[in-house]
Amino acid sequence: MTNLWRRVAAVSGLLLVLSLTQAAPASAHRSSGELLVRLTSLYAVKISESGHDELYILRSGNGLVWPSQYPGISTARNDCIVFDSSRADCPPGSNVRLAGDQNVNWANLTAAPNGQLTLELKEEDLVGDDTLGTVRVTAIAGRSWNVTLTKSDDSEYRLAYSVITNPWS
């Protein structure tokens, strides 16, 4: 019976530690003074292919941001993919969809104040993935942006994001 109680205590302790580590995004536990770049939404005004685009976002130098695993998320015209609960940047009448998996780390990217990071919106293809747009983000606390990403094939996506003080630093 003692072994059973030890196992229960060990599992309970492990679950407690895991729940505490999920309280803040792993990438948010950095140095003091850093800011969070929070993705809000990605709206598909016009997609690059007929049917659906399979989208993913990369951060230059750090790899895959969203979704947490390759391949991309299937997206149709008028889909508004939301990364947080606000849905403030989805146009009326759009098809609101959650960003995918339960991992919220992709919605929070750390950056130094006035630092820059580059995000690329990519579309998965059988032979060579296409870049649908690139945005250079300057981390200025309290700012929000809606940027339009276009490509020569007339695809158009709108990415909304904001910069806040990192509450975990």
Side-chain angles (χ1 to χ4, degrees), residues 26-96:
S27 62
H29 294 291
R30 301 273 172 98
S31 63
S32 179
E34 281 191 324
L35 301 175
L36 288 182
V37 176
R38 302 196 80 183
L39 302 180
T40 307
S41 67
L42 178 64
Y43 176 60
V45 178
K46 185 176 179 188
I47 61 176
S48 70
E49 298 177 345
S50 63
H52 290 83
D53 281 349
E54 292 73 32
L55 301 178
Y56 61 98
I57 297 175
L58 294 175
R59 178 179 179 177
S60 292
N62 286 359
L64 189 62
V65 171
W66 169 81
S68 62
Q69 295 180 345
Y70 189 82
I73 300 294
S74 182
T75 307
R77 184 182 175 279
N78 202 39
D79 280 354
C80 188
I81 299 168
V82 295
F83 295 90
D84 69 4
S85 60
S86 73
R87 298 188 169 122
D89 294 302
C90 291
S94 60
N95 179 27
V96 177

Side-chain angles (χ1 to χ4, degrees), residues 66-148:
W66 169 81
S68 62
Q69 295 180 345
Y70 189 82
I73 300 294
S74 182
T75 307
R77 184 182 175 279
N78 202 39
D79 280 354
C80 188
I81 299 168
V82 295
F83 295 90
D84 69 4
S85 60
S86 73
R87 298 188 169 122
D89 294 302
C90 291
S94 60
N95 179 27
V96 177
R97 296 178 48 204
L98 297 178
D101 53 39
Q102 299 301 313
N103 178 3
V104 297
N105 290 345
W106 36 251
N108 296 297
L109 306 169
T110 57
N114 297 312
Q116 293 190 335
L117 57 99
T118 302
L119 299 175
E120 288 182 274
L121 178 64
K122 304 279 263 184
E123 202 277 323
E124 177 191 354
D125 279 329
L126 293 175
V127 179
D129 294 357
D130 295 327
T131 299
L132 299 178
T134 302
V135 60
R136 184 175 215 90
V137 176
T138 301
I140 301 172
R143 294 272 183 99
S144 295
W145 288 270
N146 281 299
V147 294
T148 300

